[in-house]
Amino acid sequence: MLGGFDARIDIVGFALADAADKAEIARVAQTAGGRFHDAQNRDTLASSIAAALAMPFDVLDSRGRKLEIGLTGQPIEALYQGNYSVVVHTARGDVTVRDVRIDEGAGRHIVLFREADSIRSRVE
């Protein structure tokens, strides 16, 4: 909880050379519930920004039990065949995508996308 708000502050450092500066910035990010992303050049800047903007999510089974947690854009453990719900925790509130179906032999990468006024999913 940060100032009465449930917040996470990630910090992206760009081309920082001083190890002491990096350690201090990492400490500030950790204190704010976030992470420090060390982008050393323009090639790693985009991936560092994407990682900083990643949103936490939960994977729930058909009974609503939390099976996995993660951050968008990062892999999680393989899921078994079945139906799941994915709850993405956004700044504007939770977004729940129901009926995410994992079939045996299918991919394990769940892609969420907006279609009209709803969030849909597909498994790749």
Side-chain angles (χ1 to χ4, degrees):
M1 192 73 70
L2 183 65
F5 294 96
D6 188 12
R8 178 190 95 207
I9 299 175
D10 281 21
I11 300 172
V12 176
F14 182 60
L16 298 174
D18 188 310
D21 288 344
K22 289 181 190 182
E24 179 63 17
I25 293 170
R27 187 191 63 73
V28 170
Q30 183 178 13
T31 300
R35 297 169 294 146
F36 170 61
H37 306 273
D38 187 14
Q40 286 300 304
N41 52 50
R42 72 179 192 178
D43 295 333
T44 59
L45 182 60
S47 62
S48 293
I49 291 171
L53 294 175
M55 292 177 282
F57 67 88
D58 303 325
V59 178
L60 311 176
D61 68 9
S62 60
R63 294 183 176 163
R65 292 179 298 199
K66 188 183 302 185
L67 299 176
E68 296 286 342
I69 61 171
L71 292 171
T72 56
Q74 297 179 2
I76 61 170
E77 294 296 317
L79 299 171
Y80 293 104
Q81 180 175 338
N83 288 317
Y84 301 92
S85 294
V86 177
V87 181
V88 181
H89 308 289
T90 74
R92 294 185 176 173
D94 292 349
V95 174
T96 301
V97 180
R98 299 183 195 295
D99 299 322
V100 176
R101 175 85 188 149
I102 302 289
D103 291 317
E104 190 170 334
R108 297 293 190 262
H109 188 99
I110 300 170
V111 178
L112 303 178
F113 58 95
R114 181 174 296 279
E115 187 175 90
D117 291 333
S118 63
I119 303 292
R120 306 287 309 246
S121 68
R122 73 174 176 269
V123 177
E124 297 178 342

